[in-house]
Amino acid sequence: MLGPGSWRRRRPSASRSRRSPGRHRSGGGGVANGDRRNQRELPIGRRVAQWRVRRHMTQQMLADRLGKSKSWVDKVERGVRTLDRVSVLHELAEVLRIAPAALLDPAARPAVGVAAVDGIEGVRAALAVPDLARNGRPVVSTQARARQLEHAWLTYQHAGYPQLLRLLPGLLTTTDPGQDDGTGLLVQVYRLTAQVLVKLGEAELGWLAADRAVTTAAGDPLLAAAGTVPLAQALRALDRPRLAHAAALAAARCVAPE
């Protein structure tokens, strides 16, 4: 009796030992699949935070570009506030320079719009053209150029960044500071260029454009102040708060000297 009983007691143990490798393999596969499933089910707020960090933006910077508060961004990233409006989702994707699908499905390939990339390269090439190389360029009246610049500002205010990036190279390379009011127009072109570049995460290139604005102002206090404001914005975006603060103070002194 002892033998059969002991055999019956040992049999389940042996059976479990024989089944255990298969179950471990199944369990291991389940964990791996679970990890992948967890990645797919990563909350949208976490994805926003990940892309914000990749774009070298603080919560405050993202909030500024969205016209929201820092608290709003923090709540979205922590999942306290849901993104239940398609318009807000698209706005977030545009600021982060990714496809909206990348926030909804991490398997989707996030990418900056081709038009935006091409536009930034066009602006980069235009900024590489020295002012002396403007000789021989088509002459445009200051009135016509002022109308074009007004249209460009409206495009910026309506967040038409791809269209604006197509307009800027022409404005940068054909605005003649030697014409009447040409200096002021060119400063505004550089200022607008700097602001849109900072918006699109190209702060270093925006810094260059803002520096050109200050240089072109040539001692005019109001124009210098106008150019220094986007310079401070670019420095802030580059995580240089002290330099940004100094630039902002310089702009204030240009407008209201002590």
Side-chain angles (χ1 to χ4, degrees):
M1 293 295 293
L2 180 60
S6 63
W7 177 83
R8 282 196 298 271
R9 287 194 298 272
R10 289 194 300 270
R11 186 175 180 179
S13 176
S15 176
R16 283 195 300 270
S17 66
R18 285 195 297 271
R19 286 196 301 269
S20 60
R23 188 160 59 239
H24 286 317
R25 285 193 298 269
S26 174
V31 171
N33 291 335
D35 289 342
R36 288 192 291 269
R37 191 179 304 112
N38 288 338
Q39 291 175 0
R40 288 196 299 270
E41 295 174 358
L42 189 68
I44 189 171
R46 289 284 302 278
R47 295 177 205 159
V48 170
Q50 287 179 352
W51 280 105
R52 173 181 60 77
V53 172
R54 290 188 187 185
R55 297 307 186 208
H56 305 289
M57 287 192 289
T58 63
Q59 287 186 337
Q60 185 63 61
M61 291 164 60
L62 179 58
D64 290 345
R65 296 177 192 188
L66 291 169
K68 305 285 188 181
S69 66
K70 180 182 177 182
S71 174
W72 184 90
V73 173
D74 180 66
K75 288 178 180 178
V76 166
E77 293 186 351
R78 290 189 293 112
V80 176
R81 188 183 187 100
T82 58
L83 292 173
D84 52 2
R85 294 178 58 186
V86 175
S87 59
V88 176
L89 181 68
H90 279 262
E91 188 177 1
L92 258 172
E94 183 177 5
V95 171
L96 293 172
R97 295 183 291 131
I98 58 177
L103 292 176
L104 296 173
D105 181 7
R109 184 179 179 182
V112 182
V114 174
V117 173
D118 292 344
I120 289 173
E121 290 307 309
V123 171
R124 191 189 307 276
L127 286 172
V129 176
D131 290 342
L132 295 176
R134 298 177 193 277
N135 296 331
R137 299 272 180 175
V139 177
V140 181
S141 68
T142 53
Q143 292 82 2
R145 180 61 73 224
R147 288 194 296 270
Q148 293 173 353
L149 183 56
E150 182 179 3
H151 173 66
W153 274 109
L154 286 173
T155 304
Y156 172 76
Q157 291 168 4
H158 288 85
Y161 303 135
Q163 298 92 326
L164 179 58
L165 291 172
R166 289 195 294 268
L167 293 172
L168 286 175
L171 289 170
L172 286 166
T173 56
T174 62
T175 303
D176 185 0
Q179 292 180 301
D180 292 338
D181 297 327
T183 297
L185 288 175
L186 186 56
V187 169
Q188 291 301 323
V189 172
Y190 279 132
R191 175 189 169 195
L192 175 58
T193 302
Q195 289 188 200
V196 71
L197 288 172
V198 171
K199 278 274 190 182
L200 295 176
E202 296 288 338
E204 291 188 359
L205 196 58
W207 185 355
L208 173 61
D211 182 70
R212 292 276 181 86
V214 175
T215 303
T216 304
D220 185 304
L222 293 179
L223 289 180
T228 306
V229 170
L231 178 61
Q233 293 172 338
L235 289 169
R236 180 183 175 187
L238 291 169
D239 197 23
R240 301 191 180 187
R242 291 185 179 179
L243 291 178
H245 183 255
L249 286 179
R253 293 191 184 102
C254 286
V255 178
E258 297 177 356

